[in-house]
Amino acid sequence: MHSNTGGPAEGDDPFDAGAGSILRQPRAVWATAGASVVAFMGIGLVDPILPSIAKGLNATASQVSLLFTSYFLITAFAMLVTGFVSSRIGGRKTLLLGLAFVVVFAGLAGTSGSVAQLVGFRAGWGLGNALFVSTALAVIVGAAAGGSAAAILLYESALGLGMACGPLLGALLGNASWRYPFFGTAFLMAVGFLCITAFLKEQPKPARKTSLLDPVKALGHGGLASAAVSAFFYNYTFFTVLAFTPFVLNMTPYKSGAVFFAWGVLLALFSVVVAPRMQARFGSLKVLGGSLVLLAADVVVLGYGDHTTAVVCTILSGAFIGVNNTVYTELALGVSDAPRPVASAGYNFVRWFAAAAAPFFAPKIAEWTDIHVPFVVAGATAVAGAVVVAVRRRALDHEAEELQPRHATEDSVTVFAN
């Protein structure tokens, strides 16, 4: 599923395309890519230190999990804003605005004296991250040398590195104090702000300005709405693993960071390398349905297994999540005739609500029942996502065939970033 323009030809390996030129990039590209690594690190940064934060602020698991809820709730609504902003002030200014928000609110998060303050600052951080990440890919593609394939591969590498290293950085700094990872992120993003200010020139603004309602209108397309609803269920499972599992594992920051580093490595490898090969051999919908069912089984075993089993299943879930991310995002952009940024924003507006819901409900369900039930619910939502894909298979297949071929790698990065 590759475009004949700007990407590898059909049958070529997208991972090999542009490999020779990926390292020969302008400083503006490296500055944006480096800041992107830190931005993606922010998603999993708090994972290893959630128990430490709870202890340090005398808070419950459900209260601390609101760090994810506030972050992704703001991110969901920001999907309606980012295109509106960037199409009016340009990519460079949008990046700098997002970075400024992250620097300020990540730094303030480290000074928090209560969970309520920390949750509020984390929400501001989420707005900044949304503004930055949703714009970074377009900026990298516009400024990169060697064509879009090299730029996309570079951005994918930044995404994978950030997702893998976020928990590791959180563990290394958080072992001394839960506050240090927030200060560390603020410092790194400040460096990114200075680099982008120095090296990145303003790029042309889009010919057409995006309205706040364009992403919502795009969801009127049945195929896009189906992909978004299925992804909503899947993301509930995804973020149950990411936000609730650290409390179940109950490990030191170092050990928890190592577990989620391994999880992030699998996520990156299966998203970038394995998923496109599986799609080419079996087809997107078969791969997605199978991966969702396997993820459901994995999280249920995680919930009921002993400690070693829980660790193994947590790491293994990264493989299924990586595959799902790639296939979902390709479907989301392949079924709609809306412009890619608009379709992406509408799709993410729906799915990020589940990322906000899971961290809140998982510990609440555990308080109401026992520690196993949240994983049963997460398994059920993964199966629900597979059911939606199966029920809407004909429409998704038909629409995707009409609008293919597209560059699967570009689609996956664009929609995940947004």
Side-chain angles (χ1 to χ4, degrees):
M1 297 182 186
H2 301 140
S3 170
N4 292 327
T5 59
E10 189 165 353
D12 289 348
D13 190 333
F15 197 76
D16 293 334
S21 59
I22 186 174
L23 298 179
R24 297 194 296 271
Q25 299 294 340
R27 287 178 295 180
V29 172
W30 286 116
T32 308
S36 297
V37 172
V38 182
F40 285 117
M41 287 169 63
I43 295 177
L45 179 81
V46 299
D47 257 29
I49 57 172
L50 286 175
S52 299
I53 294 173
K55 183 178 180 181
L57 295 179
N58 194 28
T60 65
S62 59
Q63 289 175 322
V64 173
S65 293
L66 289 175
L67 290 175
F68 285 98
T69 297
S70 63
Y71 183 90
F72 288 113
L73 190 61
I74 294 299
T75 298
F77 283 108
M79 292 302 104
L80 304 180
V81 177
T82 53
F84 177 88
V85 173
S86 63
S87 66
R88 284 163 173 79
I89 69 174
R92 181 177 183 271
K93 291 179 181 177
T94 304
L95 289 180
L96 292 175
L97 180 63
L99 286 170
F101 269 102
V102 174
V103 170
V104 170
F105 284 103
L108 288 173
T111 68
S112 299
S114 67
V115 171
Q117 286 183 347
L118 186 55
V119 169
F121 293 142
R122 180 75 167 167
W125 182 348
L127 174 59
N129 216 51
L131 288 169
F132 175 83
V133 172
S134 64
T135 311
L137 175 63
V139 170
I140 289 177
V141 170
S148 61
I152 292 162
L153 185 58
L154 180 63
Y155 189 85
E156 283 180 326
S157 301
L159 187 157
L161 185 62
M163 290 293 288
C165 291
L168 199 60
L169 178 67
L172 292 174
L173 296 178
N175 193 60
S177 169
W178 66 263
R179 300 180 186 272
Y180 290 170
F182 298 108
F183 293 139
T185 300
F187 172 78
L188 291 174
M189 284 305 232
V191 173
F193 184 97
L194 294 175
C195 289
I196 289 176
T197 301
F199 300 130
L200 181 63
K201 297 179 180 179
E202 186 58 84
Q203 296 181 314
K205 297 177 183 178
R208 178 183 175 276
K209 293 181 179 179
T210 302
S211 78
L212 292 174
L213 293 180
D214 280 350
V216 177
K217 293 177 181 178
L219 290 170
H221 186 282
L224 181 61
S226 298
V229 170
S230 180
F232 174 90
F233 288 119
Y234 154 65
N235 269 270
Y236 185 94
T237 308
F238 178 178
F239 286 94
T240 296
V241 173
L242 191 62
F244 184 63
T245 301
F247 293 105
V248 176
L249 298 180
N250 194 26
M251 303 167 78
T252 65
Y254 277 137
K255 291 181 179 179
S256 183
V259 168
F260 278 95
F261 174 73
W263 170 88
V265 169
L266 277 187
L267 186 154
L269 287 176
F270 275 74
S271 177
V272 175
V273 180
V274 177
R277 289 166 169 77
M278 294 179 66
Q279 289 175 269
R281 182 170 182 179
F282 301 108
S284 294
L285 298 185
K286 288 183 180 178
V287 170
L288 181 59
S291 182
L292 284 169
V293 171
L294 290 174
L295 177 62
D298 180 79
V299 296
V300 171
V301 173
L302 190 165
Y304 281 92
D306 58 20
H307 187 266
T308 301
T309 302
V311 169
V312 171
C313 287
T314 299
I315 295 172
L316 184 60
S317 71
F320 305 126
I321 289 169
V323 171
N324 291 339
N325 284 346
T326 293
V327 181
Y328 264 121
T329 52
E330 182 183 340
L331 281 178
L333 294 178
V335 299
S336 173
D337 55 0
R340 285 180 177 179
V342 173
S344 172
Y347 163 80
N348 281 286
F349 174 67
V350 174
R351 75 170 182 133
W352 284 126
F353 278 109
F360 175 78
F361 284 111
K364 286 291 186 184
I365 292 171
E367 291 174 8
W368 297 333
T369 55
D370 61 54
I371 202 168
H372 308 297
V373 177
F375 294 99
V376 175
V377 174
T381 56
V383 172
V387 170
V388 173
V389 171
V391 171
R392 297 290 296 169
R393 180 184 185 89
R394 190 172 179 181
L396 290 170
D397 258 338
H398 176 69
E399 299 292 347
E401 287 173 4
E402 284 188 352
L403 291 167
Q404 295 296 341
R406 284 195 175 184
H407 192 304
T409 306
E410 180 177 357
D411 288 348
S412 67
V413 176
T414 302
V415 76
F416 186 84
N418 283 343

